[in-house]
């Protein structure tokens, strides 16, 4: 929530359109962009899926964290992405 607006996550439907956190007013049904961003293409599916990750918005930033961390079978020594934070370049 942000005041009387509900914050909702909208994942990108294409390589051009950004993902977004939108402020939705349940009384009017109107949506307004809150934060536009792009997720890493190799992680977008899991990070943007609320059944596989936690999505938290705090102080104008959105944080994504996978619920289960596991090494990649093909590259077991590579680092495992645990949290990705995205913030606005503008004033909050």
């Amino acid at each position: 929530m942000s005041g009387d607006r509900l914050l909702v996550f909208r994942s990108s439907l294409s390589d051009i359109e950004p993902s977004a956190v939108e402020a939705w007013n349940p009384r009017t049904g109107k949506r307004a962009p809150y934060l536009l961003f792009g997720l890493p293409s190799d992680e977008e599916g899991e990070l943007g899926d609320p059944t596989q990750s936690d999505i938290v918005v705090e102080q104008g930033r959105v944080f994504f964290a996978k619920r289960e961390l596991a090494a990649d079978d093909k590259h077991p020594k590579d680092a495992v992405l645990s949290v990705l934070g995205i913030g606005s370049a503008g004033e909050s």
Side-chain angles (χ1 to χ4, degrees):
M1 295 292 296
S2 177
D4 62 348
R5 301 174 302 172
L6 179 65
L7 297 179
V8 296
F9 171 69
R10 178 184 50 84
S11 63
S12 175
L13 300 175
S14 69
D15 292 336
I16 299 169
E17 179 183 41
S19 296
V21 171
E22 297 177 330
W24 177 61
N25 185 325
R27 291 187 200 117
T28 64
K30 292 184 180 180
R31 291 184 181 195
Y34 184 81
L35 184 63
L36 303 174
F37 55 90
L39 290 171
S41 59
D42 58 336
E43 299 289 338
E44 184 171 7
E46 286 184 42
L47 287 175
D49 181 353
T51 63
Q52 296 184 48
S53 64
D54 291 321
I55 304 170
V56 177
V57 178
E58 187 174 311
Q59 297 181 0
R61 294 174 179 87
V62 61
F63 298 91
F64 297 85
K66 291 182 183 179
R67 290 192 181 157
E68 183 177 316
L69 300 177
D72 185 345
D73 291 337
K74 294 180 184 177
H75 308 284
K77 294 188 180 196
D78 285 357
V80 177
L81 181 63
S82 59
V83 175
L84 173 68
I86 301 170
S88 171
E91 294 182 30
S92 38

Coordinates of all heavy atoms in Angstrom, one line a residue:
M1 N 0.8 -1.2 0.0 CA 0.0 0.0 0.0 C 0.9 1.2 0.0 O 2.0 1.2 0.5 CB -0.9 0.0 1.2 CG -1.9 -1.1 1.3 SD -3.2 -1.0 0.1 CE -4.0 0.5 0.5
S2 N 0.4 2.3 -0.6 CA 1.0 3.6 -0.6 C -0.2 4.6 -0.4 O -0.9 4.9 -1.4 CB 1.8 3.9 -1.9 OG 2.3 5.2 -1.9
G3 N -0.4 5.0 0.8 CA -1.6 5.8 1.1 C -2.8 5.0 0.9 O -2.9 3.9 1.4
D4 N -3.8 5.5 0.1 CA -5.0 4.7 -0.2 C -4.9 4.0 -1.5 O -5.9 3.4 -2.0 CB -6.2 5.6 -0.2 CG -6.2 6.7 -1.2 OD1 -5.1 6.9 -1.8 OD2 -7.2 7.4 -1.5
R5 N -3.7 3.9 -2.0 CA -3.5 3.1 -3.3 C -2.8 1.8 -3.0 O -1.9 1.7 -2.2 CB -2.6 4.0 -4.3 CG -3.2 5.3 -4.6 CD -2.3 6.1 -5.4 NE -1.0 6.3 -4.7 CZ 0.0 6.9 -5.3 NH1 0.0 7.3 -6.5 NH2 1.1 7.1 -4.6
L6 N -3.2 0.8 -3.8 CA -2.6 -0.5 -3.7 C -1.5 -0.6 -4.8 O -1.7 -0.1 -5.9 CB -3.6 -1.6 -4.0 CG -3.2 -3.0 -4.0 CD1 -2.8 -3.4 -2.7 CD2 -4.3 -3.9 -4.5
L7 N -0.3 -1.0 -4.4 CA 0.8 -1.2 -5.3 C 0.8 -2.6 -5.9 O 0.7 -3.6 -5.2 CB 2.2 -0.9 -4.6 CG 2.4 0.5 -4.0 CD1 3.7 0.5 -3.4 CD2 2.2 1.5 -5.1
V8 N 0.8 -2.6 -7.3 CA 0.7 -3.9 -8.0 C 1.9 -4.0 -8.9 O 2.4 -3.0 -9.4 CB -0.6 -4.1 -8.7 CG1 -1.8 -4.1 -7.8 CG2 -0.8 -3.0 -9.8
F9 N 2.4 -5.3 -9.1 CA 3.5 -5.5 -10.0 C 3.0 -6.0 -11.3 O 2.1 -6.8 -11.4 CB 4.4 -6.6 -9.4 CG 5.5 -7.1 -10.4 CD1 6.5 -6.3 -10.7 CD2 5.4 -8.4 -10.9 CE1 7.5 -6.8 -11.6 CE2 6.3 -8.9 -11.8 CZ 7.4 -8.1 -12.1
R10 N 3.5 -5.4 -12.4 CA 3.1 -5.7 -13.8 C 4.4 -6.1 -14.5 O 5.3 -5.3 -14.7 CB 2.4 -4.6 -14.5 CG 2.0 -4.9 -15.9 CD 1.5 -3.7 -16.7 NE 2.2 -2.5 -16.6 CZ 3.3 -2.2 -17.4 NH1 3.7 -3.1 -18.3 NH2 3.9 -1.1 -17.3
S11 N 4.5 -7.4 -14.9 CA 5.7 -7.8 -15.6 C 5.6 -7.4 -17.1 O 4.5 -7.2 -17.6 CB 5.8 -9.4 -15.5 OG 4.7 -10.0 -16.1
S12 N 6.7 -7.4 -17.7 CA 6.8 -7.0 -19.1 C 6.2 -8.0 -20.0 O 6.4 -9.2 -19.7 CB 8.3 -6.7 -19.4 OG 8.4 -6.5 -20.8
L13 N 5.6 -7.6 -21.0 CA 5.0 -8.6 -22.0 C 5.8 -8.6 -23.2 O 5.5 -9.4 -24.1 CB 3.6 -8.2 -22.3 CG 2.6 -8.1 -21.1 CD1 1.2 -7.6 -21.5 CD2 2.5 -9.5 -20.5
S14 N 6.9 -7.8 -23.3 CA 7.8 -7.8 -24.5 C 9.2 -7.4 -24.1 O 9.4 -7.0 -23.0 CB 7.2 -6.9 -25.6 OG 7.3 -5.6 -25.1
D15 N 10.1 -7.4 -25.1 CA 11.4 -7.0 -24.9 C 11.5 -5.4 -24.8 O 12.5 -4.9 -24.5 CB 12.4 -7.5 -25.9 CG 12.6 -9.0 -25.9 OD1 12.4 -9.5 -24.7 OD2 12.9 -9.6 -26.9
I16 N 10.5 -4.8 -25.3 CA 10.5 -3.3 -25.4 C 9.8 -2.7 -24.2 O 10.3 -1.7 -23.6 CB 9.8 -2.9 -26.7 CG1 10.5 -3.4 -27.9 CG2 9.6 -1.3 -26.7 CD1 9.8 -3.3 -29.2
E17 N 8.7 -3.2 -23.8 CA 7.9 -2.6 -22.7 C 8.6 -2.9 -21.3 O 9.0 -4.1 -21.1 CB 6.5 -3.3 -22.7 CG 5.6 -2.8 -21.6 CD 4.3 -3.6 -21.6 OE1 4.2 -4.8 -21.8 OE2 3.2 -2.9 -21.4
P18 N 8.7 -1.9 -20.4 CA 9.3 -2.2 -19.1 C 8.4 -2.9 -18.2 O 7.2 -2.8 -18.3 CB 9.7 -0.8 -18.6 CG 8.6 0.1 -19.2 CD 8.4 -0.5 -20.6
S19 N 8.9 -3.6 -17.2 CA 8.1 -4.0 -16.1 C 7.8 -2.8 -15.2 O 8.4 -1.8 -15.4 CB 8.9 -5.0 -15.2 OG 9.2 -6.2 -16.0
A20 N 6.8 -2.9 -14.3 CA 6.4 -1.8 -13.6 C 5.8 -2.2 -12.2 O 5.2 -3.2 -12.1 CB 5.4 -0.9 -14.3
V21 N 5.9 -1.3 -11.3 CA 5.1 -1.3 -10.1 C 4.1 -0.1 -10.3 O 4.5 1.0 -10.7 CB 5.9 -1.0 -8.8 CG1 5.0 -0.8 -7.6 CG2 6.9 -2.2 -8.6
E22 N 2.9 -0.4 -10.2 CA 1.8 0.6 -10.5 C 1.0 0.9 -9.2 O 0.8 -0.1 -8.4 CB 0.9 0.1 -11.6 CG 1.6 -0.1 -12.9 CD 0.6 -0.6 -14.0 OE1 -0.3 -1.3 -13.7 OE2 0.9 -0.3 -15.2
A23 N 0.6 2.1 -9.1 CA -0.3 2.4 -8.0 C -1.7 2.3 -8.5 O -2.0 2.9 -9.5 CB 0.0 3.9 -7.5
W24 N -2.5 1.5 -7.8 CA -3.9 1.3 -8.3 C -4.9 1.8 -7.2 O -4.7 1.4 -6.0 CB -4.1 -0.2 -8.5 CG -5.5 -0.6 -8.9 CD1 -6.2 -0.2 -10.0 CD2 -6.3 -1.5 -8.2 NE1 -7.4 -0.7 -10.0 CE2 -7.6 -1.6 -8.9 CE3 -6.2 -2.2 -7.0 CZ2 -8.6 -2.3 -8.5 CZ3 -7.3 -3.0 -6.6 CH2 -8.5 -3.1 -7.4
N25 N -5.8 2.6 -7.6 CA -6.8 3.1 -6.7 C -8.0 2.2 -6.9 O -8.7 2.2 -7.9 CB -7.2 4.6 -7.1 CG -8.2 5.2 -6.1 OD1 -9.0 4.5 -5.6 ND2 -8.0 6.4 -5.8
P26 N -8.3 1.4 -5.8 CA -9.5 0.4 -6.0 C -10.8 1.1 -6.1 O -11.7 0.5 -6.6 CB -9.4 -0.4 -4.7 CG -8.5 0.4 -3.7 CD -7.6 1.3 -4.6
R27 N -10.9 2.4 -5.6 CA -12.2 3.1 -5.7 C -12.5 3.5 -7.1 O -13.6 3.4 -7.6 CB -12.2 4.3 -4.8 CG -12.2 3.9 -3.3 CD -12.4 5.2 -2.5 NE -12.0 4.9 -1.1 CZ -10.9 5.5 -0.5 NH1 -10.3 6.4 -1.1 NH2 -10.6 5.1 0.7
T28 N -11.5 4.0 -7.8 CA -11.7 4.5 -9.2 C -11.3 3.5 -10.3 O -11.7 3.6 -11.4 CB -10.9 5.8 -9.4 OG1 -9.5 5.5 -9.3 CG2 -11.3 6.8 -8.4
G29 N -10.4 2.5 -9.9 CA -9.9 1.5 -10.9 C -8.8 2.1 -11.7 O -8.3 1.4 -12.6
K30 N -8.3 3.3 -11.4 CA -7.3 3.9 -12.2 C -5.9 3.4 -11.7 O -5.7 3.2 -10.5 CB -7.3 5.4 -12.1 CG -8.5 6.0 -12.8 CD -8.5 7.5 -12.7 CE -9.7 8.1 -13.4 NZ -9.8 9.5 -13.4
R31 N -5.0 3.3 -12.7 CA -3.6 2.9 -12.4 C -2.7 4.0 -12.8 O -2.9 4.7 -13.8 CB -3.2 1.6 -13.2 CG -3.9 0.4 -12.8 CD -3.4 -0.8 -13.6 NE -4.0 -2.0 -13.2 CZ -3.6 -3.2 -13.5 NH1 -2.5 -3.3 -14.2 NH2 -4.2 -4.3 -13.1
A32 N -1.6 4.2 -12.1 CA -0.6 5.2 -12.4 C 0.8 4.6 -12.2 O 1.0 3.8 -11.2 CB -0.7 6.4 -11.5
P33 N 1.7 4.8 -13.1 CA 3.0 4.2 -12.9 C 3.7 4.7 -11.6 O 3.6 5.9 -11.3 CB 3.8 4.8 -14.1 CG 2.8 5.2 -15.1 CD 1.6 5.6 -14.3
Y34 N 4.3 3.8 -10.9 CA 4.9 4.1 -9.7 C 6.4 4.0 -9.9 O 7.2 4.9 -9.5 CB 4.5 3.2 -8.6 CG 5.0 3.5 -7.2 CD1 4.5 4.5 -6.4 CD2 6.1 2.7 -6.7 CE1 5.0 4.7 -5.1 CE2 6.6 3.0 -5.4 CZ 6.0 4.0 -4.6 OH 6.5 4.2 -3.4
L35 N 6.9 3.0 -10.6 CA 8.3 2.7 -10.9 C 8.3 1.8 -12.1 O 7.7 0.8 -12.1 CB 9.0 2.1 -9.7 CG 10.5 1.8 -9.8 CD1 11.2 3.1 -9.9 CD2 10.9 1.0 -8.6
L36 N 9.0 2.3 -13.2 CA 9.3 1.5 -14.4 C 10.7 1.0 -14.4 O 11.6 1.7 -14.0 CB 9.0 2.4 -15.6 CG 7.7 3.0 -15.8 CD1 7.6 4.0 -17.0 CD2 6.6 2.0 -15.9
F37 N 10.9 -0.3 -14.8 CA 12.3 -0.8 -14.8 C 12.3 -2.1 -15.7 O 11.3 -2.6 -16.1 CB 12.6 -1.2 -13.3 CG 11.6 -2.1 -12.7 CD1 11.7 -3.5 -12.8 CD2 10.5 -1.6 -12.0 CE1 10.8 -4.3 -12.2 CE2 9.6 -2.4 -11.4 CZ 9.7 -3.8 -11.5
G38 N 13.5 -2.6 -15.9 CA 13.7 -3.8 -16.6 C 14.4 -4.8 -15.7 O 15.3 -4.4 -14.9
L39 N 14.0 -6.0 -15.8 CA 14.7 -7.1 -15.0 C 15.7 -7.8 -15.9 O 15.5 -7.8 -17.1 CB 13.6 -8.2 -14.6 CG 12.7 -7.7 -13.5 CD1 11.5 -8.7 -13.3 CD2 13.4 -7.5 -12.2
P40 N 16.8 -8.4 -15.3 CA 17.7 -9.1 -16.2 C 17.0 -10.2 -16.9 O 16.2 -11.0 -16.4 CB 18.7 -9.7 -15.2 CG 18.5 -8.9 -13.9 CD 17.1 -8.4 -13.9
S41 N 17.2 -10.3 -18.2 CA 16.4 -11.2 -19.1 C 16.5 -12.7 -18.7 O 15.6 -13.4 -18.7 CB 16.7 -11.0 -20.5 OG 18.1 -11.3 -20.7
D42 N 17.7 -13.1 -18.2 CA 17.9 -14.5 -17.8 C 17.2 -14.8 -16.4 O 17.0 -15.9 -16.1 CB 19.3 -14.8 -17.7 CG 20.2 -14.0 -16.8 OD1 19.7 -12.8 -16.5 OD2 21.2 -14.4 -16.4
E43 N 16.8 -13.8 -15.7 CA 16.2 -14.0 -14.4 C 14.7 -13.5 -14.3 O 14.1 -13.7 -13.3 CB 17.0 -13.3 -13.3 CG 18.4 -13.7 -13.1 CD 18.5 -15.1 -12.5 OE1 17.6 -15.5 -11.8 OE2 19.6 -15.7 -12.7
E44 N 14.3 -12.9 -15.4 CA 13.0 -12.2 -15.3 C 11.8 -13.2 -15.0 O 11.0 -12.8 -14.2 CB 12.7 -11.6 -16.7 CG 11.4 -10.8 -16.7 CD 11.2 -9.9 -17.9 OE1 12.0 -10.1 -18.8 OE2 10.3 -9.2 -17.9
G45 N 11.8 -14.4 -15.5 CA 10.7 -15.3 -15.3 C 10.6 -15.6 -13.8 O 9.5 -15.5 -13.2
E46 N 11.7 -16.0 -13.2 CA 11.6 -16.4 -11.7 C 11.4 -15.2 -10.8 O 10.6 -15.2 -9.9 CB 12.9 -17.1 -11.3 CG 12.9 -18.5 -11.9 CD 14.1 -19.3 -11.3 OE1 14.4 -19.1 -10.1 OE2 14.8 -20.0 -12.1
L47 N 12.2 -14.1 -11.1 CA 12.1 -12.9 -10.2 C 10.7 -12.3 -10.3 O 10.2 -11.7 -9.3 CB 13.2 -11.9 -10.5 CG 14.6 -12.3 -10.1 CD1 15.6 -11.3 -10.6 CD2 14.7 -12.5 -8.6
G48 N 10.1 -12.3 -11.5 CA 8.8 -11.6 -11.7 C 7.6 -12.5 -11.3 O 6.5 -12.0 -11.4
D49 N 7.9 -13.7 -10.9 CA 6.8 -14.6 -10.6 C 6.6 -14.6 -9.1 O 7.4 -15.1 -8.3 CB 7.1 -16.0 -11.1 CG 6.0 -17.0 -10.8 OD1 5.0 -16.7 -10.1 OD2 6.1 -18.2 -11.3
P50 N 5.5 -14.0 -8.6 CA 5.3 -14.0 -7.1 C 5.1 -15.3 -6.4 O 5.2 -15.4 -5.2 CB 4.0 -13.2 -7.0 CG 3.5 -12.7 -8.3 CD 4.4 -13.4 -9.3
T51 N 5.0 -16.4 -7.2 CA 4.9 -17.7 -6.6 C 6.3 -18.3 -6.3 O 6.5 -19.2 -5.6 CB 4.1 -18.7 -7.4 OG1 4.8 -18.9 -8.7 CG2 2.7 -18.3 -7.7
Q52 N 7.4 -17.7 -7.0 CA 8.7 -18.1 -6.9 C 9.6 -17.1 -6.2 O 10.8 -17.5 -5.8 CB 9.3 -18.4 -8.3 CG 8.6 -19.5 -9.0 CD 9.3 -19.8 -10.3 OE1 10.6 -20.0 -10.3 NE2 8.6 -19.9 -11.4
S53 N 9.2 -15.9 -6.0 CA 10.0 -14.9 -5.4 C 9.2 -13.9 -4.5 O 7.9 -13.9 -4.7 CB 10.8 -14.1 -6.4 OG 9.9 -13.4 -7.2
D54 N 9.8 -13.2 -3.6 CA 9.2 -12.2 -2.8 C 9.5 -10.9 -3.5 O 10.6 -10.6 -3.9 CB 9.7 -12.2 -1.4 CG 9.3 -13.4 -0.6 OD1 8.2 -13.9 -0.8 OD2 10.2 -14.0 0.1
I55 N 8.4 -10.0 -3.6 CA 8.6 -8.7 -4.2 C 8.2 -7.7 -3.1 O 7.0 -7.7 -2.7 CB 7.7 -8.6 -5.5 CG1 8.0 -9.7 -6.5 CG2 7.9 -7.2 -6.1 CD1 7.1 -9.8 -7.6
V56 N 9.1 -6.8 -2.8 CA 8.9 -5.8 -1.7 C 9.1 -4.4 -2.2 O 10.1 -4.2 -2.9 CB 9.8 -6.1 -0.5 CG1 9.6 -5.1 0.6 CG2 9.5 -7.5 0.1
V57 N 8.2 -3.5 -2.0 CA 8.4 -2.1 -2.4 C 8.6 -1.3 -1.1 O 7.8 -1.4 -0.2 CB 7.2 -1.6 -3.2 CG1 7.4 -0.1 -3.5 CG2 7.0 -2.4 -4.4
E58 N 9.7 -0.5 -1.0 CA 9.9 0.3 0.1 C 10.7 1.5 -0.2 O 11.7 1.5 -0.9 CB 10.8 -0.5 1.1 CG 11.0 0.2 2.5 CD 11.6 -0.7 3.5 OE1 11.2 -1.9 3.7 OE2 12.6 -0.2 4.1
Q59 N 10.2 2.7 0.2 CA 10.8 4.0 -0.1 C 11.2 4.2 -1.5 O 12.3 4.6 -1.8 CB 12.0 4.1 0.9 CG 11.6 4.1 2.3 CD 12.8 4.3 3.2 OE1 13.9 4.5 2.8 NE2 12.5 4.3 4.5
G60 N 10.3 3.9 -2.4 CA 10.5 4.2 -3.9 C 11.4 3.2 -4.5 O 11.9 3.4 -5.6
R61 N 11.7 2.0 -3.9 CA 12.5 1.0 -4.5 C 11.8 -0.3 -4.5 O 10.9 -0.5 -3.6 CB 13.8 0.9 -3.7 CG 14.7 2.1 -3.8 CD 15.9 1.9 -2.9 NE 16.8 3.0 -3.0 CZ 16.7 4.2 -2.3 NH1 15.7 4.3 -1.4 NH2 17.5 5.1 -2.4
V62 N 12.1 -1.2 -5.4 CA 11.5 -2.5 -5.4 C 12.6 -3.5 -5.3 O 13.6 -3.4 -5.9 CB 10.6 -2.7 -6.7 CG1 11.4 -2.6 -8.0 CG2 9.9 -4.1 -6.7
F63 N 12.4 -4.5 -4.5 CA 13.3 -5.6 -4.2 C 12.7 -6.9 -4.6 O 11.6 -7.2 -4.2 CB 13.8 -5.6 -2.7 CG 14.4 -4.3 -2.3 CD1 13.7 -3.3 -1.8 CD2 15.8 -4.2 -2.4 CE1 14.3 -2.1 -1.4 CE2 16.4 -3.0 -2.0 CZ 15.6 -1.9 -1.5
F64 N 13.5 -7.7 -5.3 CA 13.1 -9.1 -5.7 C 14.0 -10.1 -5.0 O 15.3 -9.9 -5.0 CB 13.2 -9.3 -7.2 CG 12.3 -8.4 -8.0 CD1 12.7 -7.1 -8.3 CD2 11.1 -8.8 -8.4 CE1 11.9 -6.3 -9.0 CE2 10.2 -8.0 -9.1 CZ 10.6 -6.7 -9.5
A65 N 13.5 -11.1 -4.4 CA 14.3 -12.2 -3.8 C 13.7 -13.5 -4.1 O 12.6 -13.7 -3.8 CB 14.5 -12.0 -2.3
K66 N 14.5 -14.4 -4.6 CA 14.0 -15.8 -4.9 C 13.7 -16.4 -3.6 O 14.4 -16.2 -2.6 CB 15.1 -16.6 -5.7 CG 15.3 -16.1 -7.1 CD 16.3 -17.0 -7.7 CE 16.6 -16.6 -9.1 NZ 17.6 -17.4 -9.8
R67 N 12.7 -17.2 -3.6 CA 12.4 -18.0 -2.3 C 13.3 -19.2 -2.1 O 13.4 -19.6 -1.0 CB 10.9 -18.4 -2.4 CG 10.0 -17.2 -2.3 CD 8.6 -17.7 -2.1 NE 7.7 -16.5 -2.0 CZ 6.5 -16.5 -2.2 NH1 5.9 -17.6 -2.6 NH2 5.8 -15.3 -2.1
E68 N 13.8 -19.7 -3.2 CA 14.7 -20.9 -3.1 C 16.0 -20.6 -3.9 O 15.9 -20.2 -5.1 CB 14.0 -22.1 -3.6 CG 14.8 -23.3 -3.5 CD 14.1 -24.6 -4.0 OE1 12.9 -24.7 -3.7 OE2 14.7 -25.4 -4.7
L69 N 17.1 -20.7 -3.2 CA 18.4 -20.5 -3.9 C 19.0 -21.8 -4.2 O 19.1 -22.7 -3.4 CB 19.3 -19.6 -3.0 CG 18.8 -18.3 -2.6 CD1 19.8 -17.6 -1.7 CD2 18.6 -17.4 -3.8
A70 N 19.5 -21.9 -5.5 CA 20.2 -23.2 -5.9 C 21.2 -22.8 -7.0 O 20.9 -21.9 -7.8 CB 19.2 -24.2 -6.4
A71 N 22.3 -23.5 -7.0 CA 23.3 -23.3 -8.0 C 22.8 -23.8 -9.3 O 22.0 -24.8 -9.4 CB 24.6 -24.0 -7.6
D72 N 23.3 -23.2 -10.4 CA 23.0 -23.6 -11.7 C 23.7 -24.9 -12.0 O 24.9 -25.0 -11.8 CB 23.4 -22.5 -12.7 CG 23.0 -22.9 -14.2 OD1 22.6 -24.0 -14.5 OD2 23.0 -21.9 -15.0
D73 N 23.0 -26.0 -12.5 CA 23.7 -27.3 -12.7 C 24.8 -27.1 -13.8 O 25.8 -27.8 -13.7 CB 22.6 -28.3 -13.2 CG 21.7 -28.7 -12.1 OD1 22.1 -28.5 -10.9 OD2 20.6 -29.1 -12.4
K74 N 24.6 -26.3 -14.8 CA 25.6 -26.1 -15.8 C 26.8 -25.3 -15.4 O 27.9 -25.5 -15.9 CB 25.0 -25.4 -17.0 CG 23.9 -26.2 -17.7 CD 23.3 -25.5 -18.9 CE 22.2 -26.2 -19.5 NZ 21.6 -25.5 -20.6
H75 N 26.6 -24.4 -14.4 CA 27.7 -23.5 -13.9 C 27.6 -23.5 -12.4 O 27.3 -22.5 -11.8 CB 27.5 -22.1 -14.4 CG 27.4 -22.1 -15.9 ND1 28.5 -22.3 -16.8 CD2 26.3 -21.9 -16.7 CE1 28.1 -22.2 -18.0 NE2 26.8 -22.0 -18.0
P76 N 28.0 -24.6 -11.7 CA 27.8 -24.7 -10.2 C 28.7 -23.7 -9.4 O 28.4 -23.4 -8.3 CB 28.1 -26.1 -9.9 CG 28.9 -26.6 -11.1 CD 28.5 -25.8 -12.3
K77 N 29.7 -23.2 -10.0 CA 30.6 -22.3 -9.3 C 30.2 -20.8 -9.5 O 30.8 -19.9 -8.8 CB 32.1 -22.5 -9.7 CG 32.6 -23.9 -9.3 CD 34.0 -24.0 -9.5 CE 34.5 -25.4 -9.1 NZ 35.9 -25.5 -8.9
D78 N 29.3 -20.5 -10.3 CA 28.8 -19.2 -10.5 C 28.0 -18.7 -9.3 O 27.4 -19.5 -8.6 CB 27.9 -19.1 -11.8 CG 28.7 -19.1 -13.1 OD1 29.9 -19.2 -13.0 OD2 28.1 -19.1 -14.1
A79 N 28.0 -17.4 -9.1 CA 27.3 -16.8 -8.0 C 25.8 -17.0 -8.2 O 25.3 -17.1 -9.4 CB 27.6 -15.3 -7.9
V80 N 25.0 -17.1 -7.2 CA 23.5 -17.3 -7.2 C 22.9 -15.9 -6.9 O 23.2 -15.4 -5.8 CB 23.1 -18.4 -6.3 CG1 21.5 -18.5 -6.3 CG2 23.7 -19.7 -6.6
L81 N 22.1 -15.4 -7.8 CA 21.4 -14.1 -7.5 C 20.4 -14.3 -6.4 O 19.5 -15.2 -6.4 CB 20.7 -13.7 -8.8 CG 20.0 -12.3 -8.7 CD1 20.9 -11.2 -8.4 CD2 19.2 -12.1 -10.0
S82 N 20.6 -13.5 -5.3 CA 19.7 -13.7 -4.2 C 18.7 -12.5 -4.0 O 17.6 -12.7 -3.7 CB 20.5 -13.9 -2.9 OG 21.3 -12.8 -2.7
V83 N 19.2 -11.3 -4.3 CA 18.3 -10.1 -4.2 C 18.7 -9.2 -5.3 O 19.8 -9.0 -5.5 CB 18.4 -9.4 -2.8 CG1 17.6 -8.2 -2.8 CG2 18.0 -10.4 -1.7
L84 N 17.7 -8.6 -5.9 CA 17.9 -7.6 -6.9 C 17.0 -6.4 -6.4 O 15.8 -6.5 -6.2 CB 17.4 -8.1 -8.3 CG 17.4 -7.0 -9.4 CD1 18.8 -6.6 -9.7 CD2 16.7 -7.6 -10.6
G85 N 17.7 -5.2 -6.3 CA 17.0 -4.0 -5.9 C 17.0 -3.0 -7.0 O 18.0 -2.8 -7.7
I86 N 15.9 -2.3 -7.3 CA 15.8 -1.3 -8.4 C 15.2 -0.1 -7.8 O 14.1 -0.1 -7.1 CB 14.9 -1.9 -9.5 CG1 15.5 -3.1 -10.1 CG2 14.8 -0.8 -10.6 CD1 14.7 -3.9 -11.0
G87 N 15.8 1.0 -8.0 CA 15.3 2.3 -7.5 C 15.1 3.3 -8.6 O 15.7 3.2 -9.7
S88 N 14.3 4.3 -8.3 CA 14.0 5.4 -9.2 C 15.2 6.3 -9.4 O 15.9 6.6 -8.4 CB 12.8 6.2 -8.7 OG 12.6 7.3 -9.5
A89 N 15.4 6.8 -10.6 CA 16.5 7.8 -10.8 C 16.0 9.2 -10.5 O 16.8 10.1 -10.3 CB 16.9 7.7 -12.3
G90 N 14.7 9.3 -10.4 CA 14.1 10.6 -10.1 C 13.9 10.8 -8.6 O 14.3 10.0 -7.8
E91 N 13.4 12.0 -8.2 CA 13.1 12.2 -6.8 C 11.9 11.4 -6.3 O 11.0 11.2 -7.1 CB 12.8 13.7 -6.6 CG 14.0 14.6 -6.9 CD 13.7 16.0 -6.6 OE1 12.9 16.3 -5.7 OE2 14.3 16.8 -7.3
S92 N 12.0 10.9 -5.1 CA 10.8 10.1 -4.6 C 10.0 11.0 -3.7 O 10.3 12.0 -3.2 CB 11.3 8.9 -3.9 OG 12.4 9.1 -3.1

